[in-house]
Amino acid sequence: MKEIDFEIVKCEIDTDLTLTADNIGDKLYKIPNLHSKYLRLYYQESLVLEKLEAKLARLYKKLFKYYTTEVDYIVKPAQANFFIFGDDKYSEAKFVVSKQKLQVDYLERTLKKVNNLSFDIKNLVEWSVFQNGG
């Protein structure tokens, strides 16, 4: 799968979810398309997260074996986490997984916002009617 530039996605989300008095009708019309767009992104990025987590688990297993059986100073299994979590490769892989989790969470929250967009539009219309004395 092609990697997405999440900064561009965040800008698109800001544009897609910003409501003004002038764009309410357009946004209401686009809700199904927005839902589809962000559901696809959520699915794609969730799959990437699954792959990264599996890769991290394989790295953990490899490092656990290394630190408990192959190094000059063999550590006890109970102490292996200290060395694994301090390992540069593991730390970098863990950071990548954490970043991906944040992106997936961001997309999940975006989907929830898209699902509620029609209610937001309804509330804005009602507020506009109220302000105009209706």
Side-chain angles (χ1 to χ4, degrees), residues 2 8-10 24 40 57 69 99 124:
K2 185 178 130 186
I8 292 173
V9 170
K10 288 193 297 188
I24 288 177
R40 247 187 332 272
T69 62
K99 182 180 172 188
L124 283 172

Side-chain angles (χ1 to χ4, degrees), residues 6 13 15 18 43 45 63 67 73 90 97 103 108 114:
F6 210 73
I13 290 169
T15 301
T18 298
Y43 177 75
E45 293 304 301
L63 290 172
Y67 285 116
Y73 173 73
Y90 186 84
V97 168
Q103 290 177 181
E108 183 178 4
V114 169

